[in-house]
Amino acid sequence: MAAPSVIINVMLAVHEKKTVSVDLYKPLRQYIAFHFSERQAQDVEEDLQTVQQMRNEVEKASDSLESRRDLLQRYFRALCVMESRFPISNEKEHVNTLSFVWYDAFKVSKKGTQQNIHFEKAAILFNLGAVQSQLALLADRSTAAGLKQACNCFQAAAGAFAFLRDNISMKAGGSSSTLDISVECAGMLERLMLAQAQECFFEKVISDLKPPSLCAKVARQVGLYYEETNAALILSPLNQHFDRTWVAHVQLKAAQFHGEACYRVALELHEKENIAEEIARLKVASNVLSVAKKSGKGVVGPLLDAVTKLESNVNLNLERAVKENDRVYLMRIPLPNSLAPLPAASLVKSTSLVDILDASKEKMFAGIVPDSSAKALSRYTEMLDDIIRVQLEKLQQESEITRVRLKDMDLPESLHALEGSAGLPEHLRNDVQAVQLDGGPSGLEAEMNQLRDLRRVSEELLVQTEELLQKEAREDGQFRAQFGTRWTRPQSSTLTKSFHDRLNSFAAKLKQAGEMDARIERTKNDNWSLMAVLDVKPIEAALPVLGRPIMSLNGDEDAIVGALKQSLGQLEMLGSQRAGLEDMLKEMKQKDNILPKLMSTSGSYEELFKRELAKYDPICQEVSKNLEAQEKLIQQIKVQNDAFSAVFNLEDFKASRDRAYKQISTAVSKYHEIRDNIVNEGIKFYVTLQDAINNLKQQCSDYVMTRNIQCRDMIEDLQRQLAGFSFHDSNSTLKYPAVSQPPQRPAPSVPQHNAHSSYYRSLDQAGLPNSSSLPQPYLQQQHTPQANYMAGHQAAGTTPPPLPPYYASPGHNQASAPYYSQVGTPSPPMPSHDYSHPPYPGWQGTYYGATSLMTQSSSQPPPPYHGSQTGGYYPPPQGDDSK
């Protein structure tokens, strides 16, 4: 048997198209300045110069094919950017002073001239394919790396010619175009490049000594590609355009690899001792090669030598096989047309140049946006928003439906109750937490103590104020008894009536407030057992627990619970997946910027929209799958939950749990009711009342101080009269100012004598008190109210009457009837002082209502504990001094 043939085959490359110089800068700049603005023309000055520079480099040959390839790709992307911004044609409103001239690559005497940017793009794509074919031809195919490089370059060339055929050729056609960029020529060149790329694979499998069957399949596909190329060359319009050597080369290549495939199959048949089919295949190969050699005039010598060598190997094997059959096998030889077609295996394809030629990322002329592109962008955005909105609504609606259906089945709360971790509804838990932060029911006692302290301080203030008035009246009576008719100032009882009336009014209000305090105390005690649940921490510990059945019929409780938990876990995973899908949709929409593609596209916007929106199809399908899976899972959970409810008697547990919820809710309401009466009504009332009593106390103190000054001045006058040193008539009567006015002391007309003279001593011995023995104002006293009260009567030698009815010892909660019976007497106006000192030592509360109380027509506070809008414990009293 002849040895396998290993050859380096002869292949073809395509020459580039030639062109002439074109000025892009001036026409494009004029168009921008006229249709946009001079400012924008200045902004894109650098881009215009870059485009012109690239066009100049395209016109002249480059030293490096790789640099040439990169230049053509960059310039093509720049043309795509220009296409949507600068319409080039002979129309008046377009760039009509720019024409492109290109010569035919296969007949250089023919040229085409067009005012059409697609003509320029078609020529650039053709040259890109030509450069790739030249790079493939320069690769050293005797090495594995060179063989791979050649194969890749041929596939890239096929991709360039395919892109030209599918996207540009139809737009660049016409009588003024050239045939080399036509649809027919671009398709033929794609087939030729694929044939040569497949031929590289054939060389590889031969050098790697692959099995004959694989080599035959690869060779057959090479032959098919050449046959398709030959079919395009012999038909119009290409049959008269290409040189005869191109056609002869392709025809001989097609025959060579048809014969090579038959030869490799025959080798495999010989190993299988299928002599008859082997002979038939070798005869077909010999006949094909013989015919091709006759028509292969003008082909290069190495190719003809390769075919001749292959034909020799075929004939040698054929002669050997015939002899063996005649001597040994004697098998009948099948006819050629009865043979099955040889199998083929395509290992190559045209490389896609979509990403390489995509101009959407180009920054050139970014500031130039035509109205058509802006409108197209708006339309695309609306279409995208509709898709996103529909999908998000589906996801959100399904999540809400799932939440409602789980709530109807009381899941997962019932499982939590079985595990001892039942929880309160969100609103009820928040209410209980707020109560516990306020101190809970245990804190109500501290607030009641605060209320009692405020009441005690108010009562003490009333006693202190009353003692001020009693002490002044007692001293006035002592001096009146001592001096008789010479003591001519008004009696205290005629001046302090309004003070006593107001004190009685405050006492009545304190009595009524005490009754209200008692009612609050009773309410708190009556509801203590109800509110005690609010002190439980955590509050969930007060809820009932779902217990396991006492008697189990089949012992499958754990299986039922486990299956239900597993289904709920799967449902939670689907929910997480929906959340992820929502985020993915939003993120995709945020990153979706189609404007650069709109600006670089030359085709239909609808086709672009369809391609761009199609990238959302996979996630929309995921949404549909998620919803379908969840619906099935919900039905499964419903069946499992019915079994769970039946086994664990869930209805009784729900009733018990609802009762616990209701008890907690009632306890919260009762707590707020009691606390509002203590804090918002009681404490606020006492603070306001203390401010009013302090104001009255200050008025009484001012009154006492004024009376003391009058007393001292009057005693000094009496002393002078008795001593004979008065310059006034002894029958004259001193006129003392009213207590509400500052005292006007008469100015003496004689010098004062020394206080230690014998005369002042004799007055002292006579029992007349001098000014130094007068009592000081009440504010200088440092005794307690009880001590002052008792000491005053003891000094006068009288038996003290009972304490005033509104004085209460510490711990006394109820006030008796008012001490004075005068009620309703108008009160004198309050002095405009600010007496906001603490109501009692250690008091840390805030004064409420002091300002509003000051501005009332009366000095008395509002009725005790005015009821709130919801109804309070403290109704207003029947009478009010301020009215």
Side-chain angles (χ1 to χ4, degrees):
M1 180 181 294
S5 60
V6 180
I7 59 174
I8 301 298
N9 296 304
V10 178
M11 297 184 183
L12 297 177
V14 181
H15 294 290
E16 290 187 65
K17 292 169 66 68
K18 302 299 181 182
T19 185
V20 298
S21 298
V22 175
D23 182 11
L24 296 175
Y25 175 85
K26 185 176 179 180
L28 294 180
R29 195 187 189 289
Q30 291 177 346
Y31 178 84
I32 296 171
F34 181 79
H35 288 85
F36 294 94
S37 68
E38 178 61 29
R39 175 65 179 273
Q40 288 178 292
Q42 295 174 1
D43 292 341
V44 298
E45 185 80 23
E46 183 178 351
D47 294 338
L48 290 172
Q49 294 176 357
T50 301
V51 171
Q52 183 64 60
Q53 179 64 28
M54 286 191 290
R55 186 54 166 81
N56 294 339
E57 293 177 1
V58 167
E59 295 169 6
K60 54 187 178 180
S62 175
D63 295 336
S64 170
L65 288 176
E66 288 82 359
S67 301
R68 185 76 174 170
R69 176 195 59 199
D70 297 340
L71 169 64
L72 293 171
Q73 292 174 355
R74 291 199 312 273
Y75 183 55
F76 184 87
R77 291 193 294 266
L79 291 174
C80 293
V81 172
M82 293 164 54
E83 177 184 350
S84 59
R85 293 170 170 83
F86 313 125
I88 301 174
S89 72
N90 56 3
E91 296 184 13
K92 183 178 180 180
E93 296 298 324
H94 293 179
V95 183
N96 53 17
T97 60
L98 180 60
S99 297
F100 300 102
V101 179
W102 287 93
Y103 292 90
D104 195 298
F106 303 104
K107 287 193 174 183
V108 294
S109 60
K110 294 185 178 181
K111 70 176 181 179
T113 303
Q114 291 190 21
Q115 288 179 303
N116 182 2
I117 198 170
H118 296 291
F119 184 61
E120 180 86 349
K121 291 172 64 177
I124 297 301
L125 268 180
F126 182 94
N127 283 357
L128 180 60
V131 170
Q132 292 283 16
S133 70
Q134 295 172 29
L135 285 170
L137 211 60
L138 289 178
D140 182 8
R141 301 202 309 275
S142 62
T143 64
L147 194 60
K148 181 178 181 181
Q149 178 186 353
C151 183
N152 291 337
C153 289
F154 278 130
Q155 292 181 87
F161 291 122
F163 194 94
L164 171 62
R165 177 197 61 202
D166 298 336
N167 300 283
I168 311 296
S169 292
M170 294 297 294
K171 301 175 184 178
S175 59
S176 59
S177 181
T178 55
L179 190 59
D180 54 355
I181 60 173
S182 64
V183 173
E184 294 82 4
C185 186
M188 182 274 296
L189 292 175
E190 180 202 13
R191 297 288 99 183
L192 176 61
M193 296 300 114
L194 288 177
Q196 297 185 144
Q198 182 82 6
E199 194 172 346
C200 292
F201 267 104
F202 176 76
E203 292 177 1
K204 178 172 178 55
V205 297
I206 292 298
S207 63
D208 292 345
L209 302 178
K210 296 297 182 181
S213 59
L214 177 60
C215 296
K217 291 178 181 179
V218 175
R220 183 57 188 140
Q221 185 60 52
V222 175
L224 291 176
Y225 279 137
Y226 276 118
E227 290 174 9
E228 293 173 0
T229 305
N230 181 61
L233 284 171
I234 62 178
L235 295 177
S236 178
L238 302 181
N239 56 349
Q240 301 297 327
H241 190 72
F242 282 85
D243 187 79
R244 178 60 190 167
T245 56
W246 268 68
V247 178
H249 177 90
V250 171
Q251 288 177 349
L252 191 56
K253 280 282 189 179
Q256 175 189 3
F257 282 95
H258 187 186
E260 190 76 50
C262 292
Y263 174 73
R264 300 295 169 178
V265 168
L267 293 178
E268 183 182 20
L269 293 173
H270 183 78
E271 293 176 359
K272 295 179 180 179
E273 297 184 353
N274 190 350
I275 300 300
E277 186 176 351
E278 177 189 359
I279 296 174
R281 295 293 183 184
L282 290 173
K283 286 183 178 181
V284 171
S286 178
N287 184 51
V288 168
L289 294 173
S290 176
V291 173
K293 285 178 62 177
K294 294 177 182 180
S295 61
K297 295 180 181 180
V299 296
V300 295
L303 175 58
L304 193 59
D305 293 342
V307 172
T308 301
K309 183 176 181 179
L310 175 60
E311 182 183 17
S312 175
N313 290 334
V314 168
N315 291 332
L316 183 61
N317 286 355
L318 176 60
E319 182 180 354
R320 176 196 48 77
V322 170
K323 290 181 179 180
E324 288 182 2
N325 186 53
D326 292 342
R327 295 175 181 175
V328 180
Y329 298 102
L330 303 176
M331 296 180 66
R332 182 179 178 181
I333 308 303
L335 297 175
N337 56 6
S338 65
L339 296 175
L342 292 175
S346 177
L347 304 179
V348 296
K349 64 179 181 179
S350 301
T351 302
S352 175
L353 300 183
V354 174
D355 294 335
I356 297 176
L357 302 179
D358 182 17
S360 60
K361 297 180 181 180
E362 293 293 325
K363 305 299 182 182
M364 301 177 65
F365 306 109
I368 307 297
V369 181
D371 292 340
S372 59
S373 298
K375 292 178 180 179
L377 176 63
S378 177
R379 185 166 179 270
Y380 174 79
T381 303
E382 292 178 0
M383 297 169 65
L384 178 58
D385 288 344
D386 290 340
I387 293 177
I388 299 298
R389 186 183 64 255
V390 170
Q391 298 303 318
L392 290 180
E393 287 178 354
K394 286 182 180 180
L395 293 172
Q396 295 169 0
Q397 182 179 5
E398 193 64 25
S399 296
E400 182 63 21
I401 291 175
T402 301
R403 186 189 64 81
V404 172
R405 295 173 73 173
L406 287 179
K407 185 177 181 181
D408 292 341
M409 291 185 284
D410 202 32
L411 290 173
E413 286 77 9
S414 56
L415 286 177
H416 293 163
L418 181 62
E419 298 169 353
S421 58
L424 288 173
E426 186 67 23
H427 69 282
L428 192 55
R429 185 188 305 109
N430 294 337
D431 291 343
V432 173
Q433 289 177 351
V435 169
Q436 292 179 345
L437 287 176
D438 287 339
S442 301
L444 293 178
E445 185 60 32
E447 292 173 343
M448 283 299 300
N449 291 333
Q450 183 180 355
L451 199 66
R452 297 185 191 103
D453 290 342
L454 290 172
R455 174 177 172 80
R456 175 181 56 78
V457 171
S458 298
E459 292 172 345
E460 290 177 355
L461 287 174
L462 282 180
V463 171
Q464 293 170 4
T465 305
E466 175 65 21
E467 288 182 349
L468 277 175
L469 299 178
Q470 288 182 356
K471 181 179 180 183
E472 190 278 329
R474 186 168 59 251
E475 293 171 349
D476 181 69
Q478 292 175 355
F479 288 123
R480 192 175 301 280
Q482 182 174 358
F483 291 106
T485 58
R486 288 175 295 178
W487 195 259
T488 58
R489 70 171 183 172
Q491 293 186 5
S492 296
S493 59
T494 62
L495 300 176
T496 59
K497 183 176 182 300
S498 63
F499 291 148
H500 288 297
D501 290 344
R502 291 159 66 187
L503 286 170
N504 289 337
S505 174
F506 292 155
K509 295 180 188 301
L510 272 175
K511 178 181 178 182
Q512 187 178 9
E515 295 173 356
M516 299 304 105
D517 293 347
R519 289 183 60 184
I520 293 177
E521 184 74 24
R522 287 194 300 272
T523 304
K524 176 177 72 68
N525 295 335
D526 293 343
N527 293 278
W528 186 259
S529 59
L530 172 65
M531 296 187 296
V533 69
L534 301 179
D535 281 331
V536 177
K537 294 183 180 180
I539 188 61
E540 287 77 11
L543 298 178
V545 178
L546 178 62
R548 292 181 174 272
I550 299 176
M551 297 183 60
S552 176
L553 298 178
N554 48 17
D556 59 349
E557 295 88 353
D558 292 337
I560 292 174
V561 172
L564 186 56
K565 286 183 178 179
Q566 182 179 3
S567 298
L568 289 176
Q570 296 174 359
L571 190 65
E572 186 177 356
M573 291 177 59
L574 289 176
S576 300
Q577 184 181 2
R578 284 198 303 277
L581 292 173
E582 290 184 18
D583 294 339
M584 190 182 302
L585 283 170
K586 294 176 182 177
E587 184 179 0
M588 288 182 65
K589 180 179 181 298
Q590 184 178 6
K591 295 181 178 180
D592 195 353
N593 182 18
I594 197 179
L595 181 59
K597 296 181 180 179
L598 286 172
M599 300 301 298
S600 61
T601 187
S602 59
S604 171
Y605 285 149
E606 296 299 327
E607 291 296 326
L608 177 63
F609 293 165
K610 185 177 180 180
R611 290 197 305 270
E612 290 298 315
L613 294 177
K615 64 189 177 187
Y616 292 90
D617 291 344
I619 192 171
C620 293
Q621 294 173 2
E622 290 296 325
V623 170
S624 300
K625 291 179 181 178
N626 181 280
L627 302 185
E628 293 174 1
Q630 177 163 287
E631 181 61 29
K632 294 179 181 178
L633 192 57
I634 285 292
Q635 297 298 329
Q636 176 180 326
I637 290 175
K638 186 177 184 303
V639 174
Q640 294 172 344
N641 187 65
D642 291 341
F644 175 77
S645 301
V647 171
F648 287 88
N649 196 12
L650 200 57
E651 293 301 323
D652 291 345
F653 166 74
K654 289 181 180 179
S656 176
R657 184 195 58 191
D658 291 342
R659 286 194 299 270
Y661 287 168
K662 184 176 181 181
Q663 177 186 358
I664 294 174
S665 178
T666 304
V668 170
S669 299
K670 184 59 67 176
Y671 170 84
H672 285 305
E673 176 187 339
I674 295 173
R675 190 173 187 276
D676 287 344
N677 280 293
I678 295 175
V679 177
N680 295 336
E681 295 185 16
I683 293 178
K684 183 178 180 180
F685 164 77
Y686 280 120
V687 170
T688 305
L689 180 64
Q690 285 183 16
D691 290 341
I693 296 176
N694 275 319
N695 291 335
L696 177 59
K697 179 181 177 182
Q698 185 62 41
Q699 293 179 34
C700 292
S701 178
D702 294 343
Y703 160 77
V704 170
M705 181 176 65
T706 303
R707 292 281 285 181
N708 287 339
I709 294 173
Q710 290 178 350
C711 178
R712 183 170 60 248
D713 293 344
M714 190 171 182
I715 289 176
E716 290 176 353
D717 277 342
L718 289 176
Q719 288 176 340
R720 286 193 293 272
Q721 290 175 14
L722 292 176
F725 290 105
S726 175
F727 291 94
H728 298 282
D729 186 6
S730 60
N731 294 326
S732 62
T733 303
L734 293 174
K735 302 298 183 180
Y736 294 98
V739 295
S740 61
Q741 299 294 330
Q744 301 293 331
R745 180 180 301 179
S749 57
V750 296
Q752 295 290 333
H753 294 277
N754 192 297
H756 298 286
S757 64
S758 59
Y759 178 77
Y760 281 105
R761 286 199 299 272
S762 63
L763 288 177
D764 295 338
Q765 293 172 0
L768 293 175
N770 55 30
S771 60
S772 62
S773 64
L774 291 175
Q776 299 301 315
Y778 173 79
L779 293 179
Q780 299 178 3
Q781 303 298 324
Q782 302 297 328
H783 303 290
T784 61
Q786 298 93 323
N788 290 338
Y789 183 77
M790 300 301 296
H793 287 280
Q794 291 174 2
T798 60
T799 302
L803 289 173
Y806 43 78
Y807 175 80
S809 61
H812 185 68
N813 293 329
Q814 298 292 335
S816 58
Y819 185 77
Y820 291 97
S821 60
Q822 294 89 345
V823 178
T825 305
S827 304
M830 248 184 238
S832 58
H833 302 296
D834 184 10
Y835 308 107
S836 38
H837 51 77
Y840 64 91
W843 168 246
Q844 300 297 326
T846 305
Y847 289 95
Y848 297 96
T851 303
S852 61
L853 188 61
M854 291 290 189
T855 59
Q856 293 179 2
S857 60
S858 172
S859 61
Q860 295 139 20
Y865 290 30
H866 279 308
S868 62
Q869 294 180 357
T870 57
Y873 278 95
Y874 301 90
Q878 297 300 322
D880 192 341
D881 297 341
S882 63
K883 294 182 181 180

